[in-house]
Amino acid sequence: MTETAHKIRIPAPPEGPVPWDRDFAHQVLQDLLRVRRMEEKCAELYGAQKIRGFLHLYIGEEAIAAGVLRLLQAEDNIVATYREHGHALLRGIAMGPIMAEMYGKQEGCSRGRGGSMHLFDRATRFYGGNAIVGGGLPLAAGLALADRMQERAAITACFFGEGALAEGASHEAMNLAALWRLPVLFLCENNLYAMGTALARSEAQTDLCAKAASYGIATLSVDGMDVVAVHDKVRPAVQQVREANGPMFVELRTYRFRAHSMFDPELYRDKVEVEAWKLRGPIHTYTARLKAQGLLTEEQFLALDAKAQAEVDQAVAFAEAGTFEPESDLLRDVHTPAEAA
Ligand SMILES: Cc1ncc(C[n+]2csc(CCOP(=O)(O)OP(=O)(O)O)c2C)c(N)n1
Ligand SMILES: [Mg+2]
């Protein structure tokens, strides 16, 4: 256990046997690598000005999406934030349309009108991508209420950063979800910073579970850098929400390895802290555990990695071949008829 500025405690890296069979273990590793390689490419493409505007990378936090999304079913809804590329991909949106969306091309999953922060796909019930901090929680409560009213058996998984808990809308949503026993799984990705503000600098109560518990919501805190812990500990939480028809709150303790967005000089955290967290990196710790157990060879790792890289190459080619919307399309989806404007 190391302690750095802002009283941030860094536990030892995840270790110990992985209680999964080889096939499943490899599938999860493939998920982690797909997200990581896609986003590394996005960073490169941003430098080349192929991707513009905002870009918030999930690098370092992938174990959360990789661990949770496998627990959901096709009829469940997902709501996420602007740091949602990994969730979108692992929910089943193809990498090509995700990359085309990053480029702002009309072949993108939001037809090029959303960009990095607004990936959306009705078919997989991926309800965004939301640029408003805390904006997803009321949306999730609404989706769950709609399911209840339409007698659909589904849960809504709502991912958000710990910064969202400083927003009133999040508390209103948690309160109503608890009061009406809505099937929402609140998944708080606590990476300890909201842009440049450390949790303890902005919140009087830094125990995030205590906030949810104040609404009578059952809570759970999990090491979000450990894909095994995320998957195996969130599983009963998903089950509980599904069966008990009421919300649950899970804090996933994590860390982003990159800047908040592409415009952040990172003056608020020291390099020692970042390097200490990197030792807990979700891909290399998991890979090391699998190898130590004889569940993975270096050749198998390289093959999975090459597969992820090939998918990225194809996605980039798809985005490059895509087209920008013609100007004549500009008024499509504008709800006031042009003549009345
Ligand atoms: C309502 C609102 N206020 C402020 C912002 C500006 N803003 C963008 S990201 C961010 C930090 C959010 O941090 P957190 O919720 O912890 O998510 P993380 O970026 O760490 O994943 C802020 C304040 C915003 N987008 N929306
Ligand atoms: Mg945060």
Side-chain angles (χ1 to χ4, degrees):
M1 177 87 77
T2 317
E3 189 169 307
T4 65
H6 309 304
K7 298 210 180 319
I8 288 171
R9 293 213 171 114
I10 310 175
E15 56 180 18
V18 175
W20 296 341
D21 67 37
R22 185 182 313 261
D23 269 5
F24 187 74
H26 285 203
Q27 284 168 28
V28 172
L29 179 57
Q30 183 78 86
D31 284 352
L32 291 165
L33 290 167
R34 290 175 72 217
V35 178
R36 176 67 61 92
R37 298 298 173 237
M38 176 178 78
E39 287 210 308
E40 285 171 343
K41 190 68 187 179
C42 288
E44 189 189 317
L45 292 164
Y46 198 87
Q49 296 195 350
K50 294 279 188 182
I51 299 176
R52 311 178 75 148
F54 285 102
L55 183 70
H56 306 84
L57 300 176
Y58 195 49
I59 290 178
E61 306 188 28
E62 299 95 333
I64 301 174
V68 172
L69 282 158
R70 285 192 168 273
L71 299 167
L72 302 179
Q73 295 178 359
E75 64 270 22
D76 295 334
N77 311 305
I78 290 100
V79 176
T81 71
Y82 46 83
R83 206 179 293 289
E84 89 287 27
H85 314 147
H87 311 76
L89 182 72
L90 299 185
R91 178 54 177 177
I93 308 181
M95 202 186 287
I98 290 179
M99 199 57 91
E101 191 59 42
M102 303 278 192
Y103 272 60
K105 303 263 178 101
Q106 57 185 342
E107 291 77 9
C109 57
S110 308
R111 297 201 206 148
R113 290 191 169 192
S116 148
M117 298 201 284
H118 304 103
L119 303 177
F120 191 97
D121 181 50
R122 177 73 182 76
T124 54
R125 307 189 84 84
F126 188 81
Y127 292 101
N130 197 319
I132 308 302
V133 174
L137 288 88
L139 200 64
L143 284 163
L145 180 60
D147 284 338
R148 158 81 52 78
M149 292 171 79
Q150 293 171 7
E151 295 179 12
R152 291 181 67 252
I155 72 164
T156 298
C158 178
F159 295 89
F160 53 91
E162 85 293 345
L165 293 182
E167 295 285 345
S170 304
H171 291 268
E172 294 175 40
M174 283 197 289
N175 175 57
L176 289 180
L179 185 67
W180 295 336
R181 304 204 56 71
L182 301 176
V184 183
L185 182 63
F186 292 107
L187 296 150
C188 179
E189 303 183 322
N190 180 10
N191 62 9
L192 306 165
Y193 291 91
M195 294 180 94
T197 306
L199 184 63
R201 284 183 60 125
S202 61
E203 292 295 291
Q205 172 57 278
T206 55
D207 178 346
L208 305 176
C209 287
K211 293 186 186 232
S214 77
Y215 300 105
I217 298 178
T219 68
L220 176 72
S221 193
V222 180
D223 182 355
M225 305 300 272
D226 178 354
V227 72
V228 180
V230 173
H231 182 275
D232 287 3
K233 292 190 176 167
V234 175
R235 180 200 286 277
V238 168
Q239 214 43 40
Q240 186 174 320
V241 173
R242 213 178 281 293
E243 283 163 11
N245 234 15
M248 187 150 176
F249 179 97
V250 183
E251 176 199 23
L252 300 126
R253 294 182 309 274
T254 185
Y255 202 79
R256 63 172 156 71
F257 292 168
R258 300 285 183 111
H260 166 76
S261 71
M262 303 309 272
F263 302 112
D264 166 14
E266 285 190 85
L267 301 176
Y268 49 85
R269 58 184 196 179
D270 58 46
K271 288 202 169 55
V272 178
E273 181 184 299
V274 180
E275 291 314 310
W277 274 96
K278 281 187 179 168
L279 295 177
R280 314 190 75 247
I283 299 184
H284 75 83
T285 54
Y286 178 56
T287 301
R289 289 162 77 187
L290 293 178
K291 282 184 178 171
Q293 240 175 298
L295 282 177
L296 179 76
T297 63
E298 179 62 11
E299 293 68 37
Q300 287 168 333
F301 175 84
L302 292 174
L304 292 171
D305 203 19
K307 203 169 158 200
Q309 197 55 61
E311 188 182 5
V312 172
D313 293 344
Q314 276 179 12
V316 173
F318 180 83
E320 286 283 338
T323 47
F324 289 111
E325 215 174 345
E327 246 178 70
S328 56
D329 247 26
L330 215 56
L331 291 182
R332 182 171 54 74
D333 301 334
V334 175
H335 297 296
T336 306
E339 56 277 15

